[in-house]
Amino acid sequence: MMGALSQYALRAGEKLRSHGLVAARLTAFFHTNKHKPDRPQYGGSRMVTLHPMTNDSLELVAAARRGAEKAWRDGYAYTKAGIMLDDLLPEDERPRTLFEEDTAKRDRLMGALDAINGKFGTWTAMTATQGFKREWKMRSEMRSPAWTTDIAQVPTVRA
């Protein structure tokens, strides 16, 4: 579960940086399969305030972990997990804090991480919390075609 949440948090940080945004809150959530009522049911979520506001992937992973640990209950077969980011602002408009640390070193690290993954492919460089075997995967066998967003999936008609 933590591998999935870490991956989502890393990707969210990458997207925030690409759009020049920062987030003020992160919500980590997970739940069991509601379509199997014979199994124990539980859905947990926790919101974590990001202070100061950030787009740092490592801070987002840490926040997702804190939220998941507070909401976690053993004994359930979880089937879905994710994160949500709230209160997005442009990075240059975010409120500054009095004791805010210099983030230049972390900004360079995040830039290097984005550059490596951009050049060599997604998930070339990642954190250990994602896991190396990636025993989970998205299930999308029954997904509808993406005709409106992927030109390769538009049906070809021949006469």
Side-chain angles (χ1 to χ4, degrees):
M1 182 67 65
M2 197 55 225
L5 289 173
S6 294
Q7 182 168 327
Y8 299 143
L10 281 167
R11 182 72 177 130
E14 184 180 321
K15 286 187 174 197
L16 285 173
R17 288 188 298 280
S18 72
H19 293 289
L21 299 172
V22 290
R25 290 191 302 261
L26 178 141
T27 303
F29 66 89
F30 44 86
H31 61 78
T32 56
N33 189 346
K34 64 182 176 183
H35 300 292
K36 295 190 177 181
D38 55 319
R39 294 186 179 173
Q41 299 291 311
Y42 175 69
S45 70
R46 290 295 184 274
M47 183 182 298
V48 178
T49 301
L50 303 169
H51 189 72
M53 297 174 76
T54 189
N55 59 14
D56 185 323
S57 293
L58 301 178
E59 290 183 26
L60 295 175
V61 168
R65 181 178 198 89
R66 286 192 309 270
E69 286 174 351
K70 289 180 183 178
W72 186 263
R73 288 193 186 160
D74 287 329
Y76 293 95
Y78 297 107
T79 58
K80 185 173 183 175
I83 66 162
M84 293 184 290
L85 299 172
D86 295 322
D87 291 341
L88 304 180
L89 285 176
E91 190 169 11
D92 56 346
E93 293 179 18
R94 72 182 176 104
R96 303 289 179 184
T97 61
L98 183 60
F99 299 106
E100 192 169 316
E101 297 176 17
D102 183 26
T103 61
K105 191 173 182 180
R106 277 300 264 265
D107 292 343
R108 287 194 316 271
L109 174 63
M110 291 298 109
L113 184 69
D114 293 344
I116 290 168
N117 286 332
K119 183 173 183 178
F120 297 108
T122 306
W123 312 129
T124 301
M126 59 185 185
T127 63
T129 57
Q130 283 182 257
F132 296 106
K133 292 185 180 181
R134 193 170 167 190
E135 297 162 353
W136 63 275
K137 65 177 183 169
M138 288 179 40
R139 296 186 315 187
S140 57
E141 300 86 28
M142 304 299 286
R143 181 180 58 189
S144 299
W147 295 333
T148 59
T149 57
D150 186 1
I151 194 71
Q153 291 187 20
V154 174
T156 305
V157 178
R158 298 185 184 175

